Amino acid sequence: MAKASTLSYVKKADLDDVYVVVKEPSIGAAIMALGFKLDATDGLYKLNTQDDLEKASIFDKLRSIGLPFMGGSEWSPAEVFEYLREDLQLLSGLYEKAVWIHPGAAKLEMS
């Protein structure tokens, strides 16, 4: 079980923007190389995507870095990943999903 305090993950991606929580400096450097910028208002890293094809490309790169995608309801990043993979066929393969089991801990699942 991963502790939320040490887990970097894709937090939000339901519209054009993708938001990432970064806890490890190496992850911060890797996503900044992809074009993410630190949003000073909420401390999240943010990237604006132009369309589903660009978002799928970013998701694939985030997956290769090792970031899990937050699960949940109402277009969580995990649901967006599945939409891009299954409905639009812009992604393939498995990804890691972070499912919160209580406020301090997440369980990681392959989907």
Side-chain angles (χ1 to χ4, degrees):
M1 177 172 16
K3 295 195 188 243
S5 62
T6 61
L7 182 65
S8 295
Y9 59 94
V10 181
K11 180 177 179 132
K12 185 176 178 185
D14 56 352
L15 298 173
D16 294 333
D17 296 323
V18 178
Y19 294 88
V20 176
V21 171
V22 174
K23 300 293 182 174
E24 302 99 336
S26 62
I27 296 292
I31 67 167
M32 287 177 64
L34 297 176
F36 280 81
K37 305 275 190 246
L38 181 61
D39 187 336
T41 59
D42 57 16
L44 301 174
Y45 286 79
K46 175 182 171 184
L47 177 72
N48 181 268
T49 58
Q50 299 301 310
D51 56 26
D52 288 334
L53 185 60
E54 183 181 7
K55 186 179 281 186
S57 174
I58 290 298
F59 271 33
D60 189 46
K61 291 171 183 168
L62 293 172
R63 174 179 52 181
S64 71
I65 291 170
L67 286 175
F69 294 78
M70 188 170 90
S73 60
E74 298 185 25
W75 290 103
S76 69
E79 289 174 321
V80 174
F81 192 105
E82 290 171 11
Y83 170 74
L84 294 169
R85 179 180 65 189
E86 319 224 336
D87 293 350
L88 301 183
Q89 298 183 348
L90 296 174
L91 289 167
S92 62
L94 297 174
Y95 70 97
E96 197 167 40
K97 179 179 4 178
V99 179
W100 303 112
I101 55 176
H102 57 76
K107 177 176 70 170
L108 299 177
E109 304 174 345
M110 291 303 289
S111 290

